[in-house]
Amino acid sequence: MERRGFLKILGATGGALAFSNTELTPEAQAQGVREKDLRWGKAPCRYCGTGCGVEVGVKDGRVMAVRGDAAASVNKGLLCAKGYHLPAMLYGEDRLKQPMRRGADGSLQPLSWDQALDLIAQKYKEALAEGGPESVGMYGSGQWTIFDGYAATKWMRGGLRSNNLDPNARLCMSSAVSGFMTQFGSDEPMGCYDDFELGDDFVLWGNNMAEMHPVLFSRILENKRSRPGTRIVELATRRTPTSDYADLYVEFKPGSDLAIANGILHLLFAKKKVATAFIDENVVVKRGIEDLKTIGYGCYDEQAERYTFEDKAEPATWKDVESFLADYSPAKVQELSGVPPAQLEALAELYGNPGRGTVSLWCMGVNQHVRGTWMNNLITDLHLVTGKIGRPGANPFSLTGQPSACGTAREVGTLSNRLPADRVVTNPEHRAEAEKIWNLAPGTIPAKPGHHAVDLFRAFMRSEVKVLWIQTTNPAVTLPNLARFDRKPGDGRFLIVSDIYPTPTTDLADLILPSAAWVEREGMFGNSERRTQHWHQQVPPPGEAKEDAWQIIQVAKKMGMGSLFPWPEDAWHEPMFEEYRKFGLGNGKDLASYKQLEETRGLRWPVVDGKETRYRYAAGHDPYVKKKAGVHFYRAKGNGEKAAFWIRPYHPPAESPDQEYPFWLTTGRVLEHWHSGSMTRRVKQLHQAVPRAYVELNRVDATELGINPGDKVRLKSRRGVLELVAEIDGRGRPPRGTVFVPFFDEGLLVNRLTLDAMDNISKEPDYKKCAVRIERVS
């Protein structure tokens, strides 16, 4: 069977995918519009971090159709269910179309843009005068375009002189950032999507790839179809559609993946399946603070003001490694994780086989973890000790959930401690470089990192931050332990929210701004494989909606900071991007030029002499590697240009089931909806497919509790209560003692139950592990 036919069958059976057909909107069908009547343009998909290429069909200023872009190497014409319904995301009946201020009685009154911008400038000036730069903040998104993020970081750090800027990407991939930075001195994967065709074994660490990244998963399945020896191993805490395709399913207790990874390392060293020559040439050993009491978990009652723990790296030896790993015997790992020794042996054989390429894949299951950075380190450790890194078909690969979490949050540097291209605010040389590019006086950019996401909202709730601007995200749905952040507008603080639809977050806002979405404005995203993708505006936004970067630039000008953005009002995108490019040129972060990106379906950085790079650090692929063979981790300056193997122990979760709360609760997404559902729940077909959140229960647990499918049940945690409909033996099938709830439903807020414990290094919250009890609602 040819690939097209295979993927069509996959789409028909899974309801997930479709291949390169044109999907006309109901509006276009009603008007009798045909493909040839449309003007077609390119864009990346608006949803996840895969970066699928989409062709957008336009007529009379409306998006009338989309189809998978066969010229895009990411998806080769394939789209998932969400991708084919992209146009409807733009045309919900309740689009925000004009600025609105909330009155004392709670009602919303329209404002002109000039009035709204004056008000924002006034509020920021007042806060700066009263409390200084630490009293202002901004909360952005991995859905920001590169233009939006760059405008935000330049205005906040160079104009307001504040580092209180953080994106919602802190909640989803900052552990991956910390992992790459601590091991290679540089963020982002070294591999690319080509690995899905070239790898032999794919190990999915807590990653329901069939639903969360279905287009990429289809590439692995096609590899498996054409090369029957290809294997998929899934490590997970519940069975999902991905499990149905796995050659080996490894189920483990929540939070015990640290023990499993160390157990695999134990066996690799014990059986002498490590690549000694590779290690000697390319790897050093590091060890950090390991005492649980010293580190803590960052919960509100534990660190009520700020969670600011900082790890301290110390050199270690390979003897230290073997001594440390002696504690992680197969029997000990089984005790901690529930994984049988035979399965641990199978994983060690897989990683230790030098004749097979191994690709490790992970996403939120690893990152949203109280020791998420440690887990990132340990997965990469497995590749470092076996030499399976920087090679086609053999790499650790962190997937992302937002369209530009990589390109904007990570590379532009909108995290509270970062500047563009891996620079950090704590490094005086990095600050000086940014000040030079931005034409700022020396000392303008503050050296102290700002509040990370959870602490930023804690600071806002205690009025330490007095003015906060939220763009392109919905924290009133997505923050953990949501009850901590309840507020009423007019409480003395000032909250600005820019969005495209009313959300629970706009309900809390003092000022609401209407934003342009996707192809209603020009933009660039950066996807999970380091690919920067450009698109032009293709339709006008509704009403008075404006792009987020424009909003920031105009406020800066109102505050007398117009020199930060010295470009023509009608032609600023290209010069802004070319200024941003300066940060990466010549240091391994080289981006393609604006003109190149206009003309292509995106290019993977570093782009040198017009050529993209498939594999970083690899001889023959990366232009910065001068060796004839092997790898060179040239960005790891602090380690003598060698990668760091980290010793990282098992720590238990911050909260585990007990007699009062005997069940694990874990949260996540579903195929049909994206993040908080503010866009996909307005798409009729997607909403009808999954109209509400639910709770997955194990059948034996449900029988013992007297719960049947469709019954209403009550979940209680130490933080909140939620009533949901029970689902049993559905798409997801948790083991005994575990329940799962998706978080897309703003009417059923599962994050009122979750714990605000967070990773000790990345400060990313752990949404995957807390304790609940279950009651049947009579």
Side-chain angles (χ1 to χ4, degrees):
M1 187 184 300
E2 292 185 356
R3 181 175 185 271
R4 176 187 289 265
F6 170 75
L7 293 174
K8 280 187 174 179
I9 286 178
L10 177 64
T13 56
L17 302 163
F19 188 87
S20 199
N21 298 311
T22 299
E23 185 71 20
L24 291 167
T25 65
E27 177 186 6
Q29 294 175 41
Q31 294 179 15
V33 173
R34 297 167 297 179
E35 282 189 61
K36 67 179 184 179
D37 300 327
L38 303 175
R39 184 185 77 251
W40 292 91
K42 70 175 177 76
C45 178
R46 173 59 180 80
Y47 292 121
C48 80
T50 299
C52 290
V54 178
E55 288 190 282
V56 182
V58 174
K59 186 175 185 293
D60 300 329
R62 303 269 291 183
V63 176
M64 293 287 190
V66 294
R67 62 191 181 202
D69 188 348
S73 63
V74 169
N75 55 312
K76 306 173 185 179
L78 191 65
L79 291 177
C80 77
K82 293 188 291 293
Y84 264 108
H85 294 293
L86 275 164
M89 174 270 289
L90 298 173
Y91 299 124
E93 293 180 359
D94 56 345
R95 275 293 297 268
L96 297 173
K97 297 180 181 179
Q98 59 183 343
M100 292 180 289
R101 184 178 187 179
R102 197 176 304 278
D105 61 354
S107 63
L108 292 171
Q109 304 299 322
L111 295 176
S112 69
W113 267 108
D114 205 44
Q115 290 172 316
L117 297 169
D118 281 337
L119 179 61
I120 298 170
Q122 173 195 333
K123 292 295 182 180
Y124 272 100
K125 285 179 179 179
E126 289 173 353
L128 288 169
E130 182 180 342
E134 292 201 6
S135 69
V136 296
M138 190 167 202
Y139 187 60
S141 173
Q143 300 159 61
W144 259 346
T145 69
I146 287 172
F147 302 114
D148 302 332
Y150 189 70
T153 195
K154 192 175 185 184
W155 174 57
M156 284 293 296
R157 304 185 207 281
L160 303 185
R161 302 191 177 199
S162 174
N163 287 324
N164 281 342
L165 169 68
D166 218 43
N168 66 357
R170 176 74 68 178
L171 311 181
C172 62
M173 39 47 59
S174 58
S175 293
V177 176
S178 298
F180 285 120
M181 290 297 295
T182 53
Q183 293 186 281
F184 304 102
S186 182
D187 188 20
E188 305 278 11
M190 57 291 301
C192 64
Y193 295 166
D194 296 17
D195 286 337
F196 300 139
E197 282 77 41
L198 300 173
D200 300 307
D201 297 319
F202 297 88
V203 184
L204 279 54
W205 289 84
N207 181 19
N208 178 14
M209 201 171 174
E211 287 196 273
M212 302 306 105
H213 296 89
V215 170
L216 298 181
F217 193 59
S218 77
R219 292 177 62 167
I220 296 175
L221 295 183
E222 169 64 1
N223 181 2
K224 189 173 174 62
R225 183 198 68 83
S226 62
R227 299 168 61 235
T230 301
R231 299 178 296 190
I232 298 172
V233 177
E234 184 193 25
L235 295 96
T237 58
R238 79 190 228 281
R239 287 186 176 270
T240 67
T242 303
S243 313
D244 299 335
Y245 297 95
D247 297 277
L248 175 64
Y249 173 74
V250 180
E251 192 166 275
F252 62 92
K253 297 175 185 176
S256 65
D257 42 3
L258 292 155
I260 297 167
N262 278 315
I264 299 169
L265 288 166
H266 167 97
L267 289 172
L268 290 172
F269 277 90
K271 297 187 174 189
K272 302 190 184 307
K273 289 184 176 290
V274 297
T276 305
F278 180 91
I279 289 170
D280 290 344
E281 182 180 353
N282 299 297
V283 187
V284 300
V285 182
K286 296 281 188 177
R287 196 165 197 166
I289 298 171
E290 298 171 8
D291 178 64
L292 176 56
K293 188 173 289 187
T294 301
I295 296 170
Y297 291 112
C299 302
Y300 191 85
D301 57 353
E302 186 180 59
Q303 273 87 19
E305 296 298 317
R306 296 186 71 171
Y307 184 47
T308 57
F309 170 84
E310 291 188 21
D311 200 18
K312 184 179 180 181
E314 298 287 350
T317 68
W318 291 108
K319 285 187 177 180
D320 294 331
V321 171
E322 295 196 50
S323 174
F324 166 80
L325 291 174
D327 289 337
Y328 292 92
S329 67
K332 177 66 176 294
V333 172
Q334 182 177 28
E335 178 186 337
L336 292 171
S337 70
V339 173
Q343 288 192 331
L344 199 70
E345 295 269 3
L347 286 163
E349 286 295 320
L350 183 150
Y351 276 103
N353 185 339
R356 294 180 65 86
T358 304
V359 180
S360 297
L361 295 153
W362 68 95
C363 197
M364 300 304 101
V366 165
N367 292 337
Q368 292 175 338
H369 193 311
V370 290
R371 298 295 179 261
T373 302
W374 290 10
M375 263 312 298
N376 274 266
N377 290 157
L378 288 172
I379 293 171
T380 300
D381 284 352
L382 292 168
H383 286 264
L384 289 172
V385 299
T386 56
K388 293 185 176 184
I389 192 166
R391 288 165 38 191
N395 286 293
F397 198 99
S398 166
L399 295 164
T400 49
Q402 297 188 85
S404 203
C406 293
T408 302
R410 296 164 77 161
E411 292 311 311
V412 172
T414 61
L415 292 153
S416 61
N417 64 324
R418 284 173 70 86
L419 291 162
D422 284 342
R423 291 168 177 81
V424 292
V425 299
T426 52
N427 186 316
E429 292 182 7
H430 293 177
R431 295 196 306 275
E433 289 167 351
E435 287 162 350
K436 182 178 180 181
I437 291 173
W438 288 345
N439 196 28
L440 301 173
T444 297
I445 299 171
K448 179 182 176 183
H451 292 291
H452 56 80
V454 174
D455 276 358
L456 179 63
F457 282 91
R458 289 175 179 174
F460 183 66
M461 292 308 296
R462 61 177 181 264
S463 296
E464 180 183 316
V465 170
K466 299 182 183 301
V467 180
L468 180 63
W469 191 352
I470 298 168
Q471 286 191 336
T472 328
T473 186
N474 193 8
V477 174
T478 58
L479 286 171
N481 193 3
L482 267 176
R484 300 296 318 178
F485 307 114
D486 287 341
R487 79 172 292 249
K488 291 182 179 180
D491 57 8
R493 294 157 288 191
F494 198 76
L495 182 65
I496 308 143
V497 177
S498 300
D499 213 322
I500 65 174
Y501 287 112
T503 68
T505 304
T506 63
D507 290 344
L508 304 179
D510 300 284
L511 179 65
I512 301 169
L513 303 177
S515 291
W518 193 39
V519 294
E520 295 168 351
R521 42 82 54 88
E522 182 174 350
M524 287 190 190
F525 286 155
N527 78 349
S528 296
E529 65 165 349
R530 297 174 279 108
R531 183 181 298 274
T532 312
Q533 299 162 291
H534 172 271
W535 74 93
H536 281 294
Q537 180 182 3
Q538 296 175 44
V539 295
E544 300 173 29
K546 302 286 188 182
E547 68 176 287
D548 298 291
W550 179 91
Q551 298 174 26
I552 296 167
I553 292 169
Q554 297 308 311
V555 170
K557 290 180 177 180
K558 292 280 187 181
M559 297 183 71
M561 301 172 186
S563 61
L564 293 170
F565 307 102
W567 309 298
E569 286 275 352
D570 59 348
W572 51 269
H573 291 90
E574 181 174 0
M576 174 186 277
F577 182 75
E578 291 300 330
E579 178 184 275
Y580 163 55
R581 278 185 75 221
K582 294 177 183 178
F583 283 91
L585 295 177
N587 62 17
K589 290 278 184 168
D590 313 63
L591 297 172
S593 70
Y594 179 92
K595 294 295 186 186
Q596 280 183 290
L597 296 173
E598 265 191 318
E599 296 165 2
T600 65
R601 263 56 175 185
L603 292 170
R604 293 168 286 197
W605 57 260
V607 179
V608 178
D609 296 329
K611 297 178 181 179
E612 67 176 355
T613 299
R614 293 167 66 212
Y615 294 96
R616 297 176 76 195
Y617 312 129
H621 292 278
D622 188 333
Y624 285 90
V625 175
K626 305 307 179 186
K627 296 166 66 173
K628 291 184 178 180
V631 297
H632 178 200
F633 300 113
Y634 56 86
R635 296 277 299 176
K637 304 296 185 185
N639 298 329
E641 300 190 357
K642 293 185 177 185
F645 175 104
W646 280 88
I647 296 173
R648 299 296 198 189
Y650 166 77
H651 277 183
E655 183 177 89
S656 297
D658 56 20
Q659 189 171 1
E660 186 178 3
Y661 298 94
F663 287 85
W664 287 107
L665 167 66
T666 187
T667 69
R669 294 175 288 168
V670 296
L671 166 69
E672 293 82 358
H673 289 293
W674 193 74
H675 280 213
S676 67
S678 59
M679 292 181 288
T680 51
R681 292 184 74 222
R682 288 171 168 86
V683 177
K684 180 180 178 181
Q685 296 88 340
L686 300 177
H687 179 62
Q688 287 179 338
V690 185
R692 63 176 181 268
Y694 50 85
V695 55
E696 295 174 358
L697 284 85
N698 177 273
R699 177 165 288 280
V700 177
D701 289 333
T703 300
E704 290 182 353
L705 293 165
I707 296 170
N708 295 307
D711 285 352
K712 183 170 280 190
V713 300
R714 183 178 297 117
L715 299 186
K716 288 186 176 180
S717 76
R718 290 178 173 84
R719 292 153 295 281
V721 180
L722 186 63
E723 293 186 359
L724 302 125
V725 170
E727 183 172 288
I728 301 166
D729 292 338
R731 194 184 301 176
R733 303 174 299 285
R736 292 204 66 186
T738 297
V739 299
F740 170 87
V741 179
F743 74 89
F744 69 86
D745 191 342
E746 64 186 32
L748 295 167
L749 298 174
V750 69
N751 282 319
R752 288 195 169 272
L753 307 182
T754 52
L755 182 68
D756 55 354
M758 64 187 85
D759 178 71
N760 56 317
I761 298 171
S762 71
K763 309 305 188 288
E764 179 169 342
D766 188 336
Y767 293 90
K768 304 299 183 183
K769 297 174 283 295
C770 72
V772 297
R773 65 173 180 263
I774 308 170
E775 302 168 357
R776 185 176 182 275
V777 178
S778 58

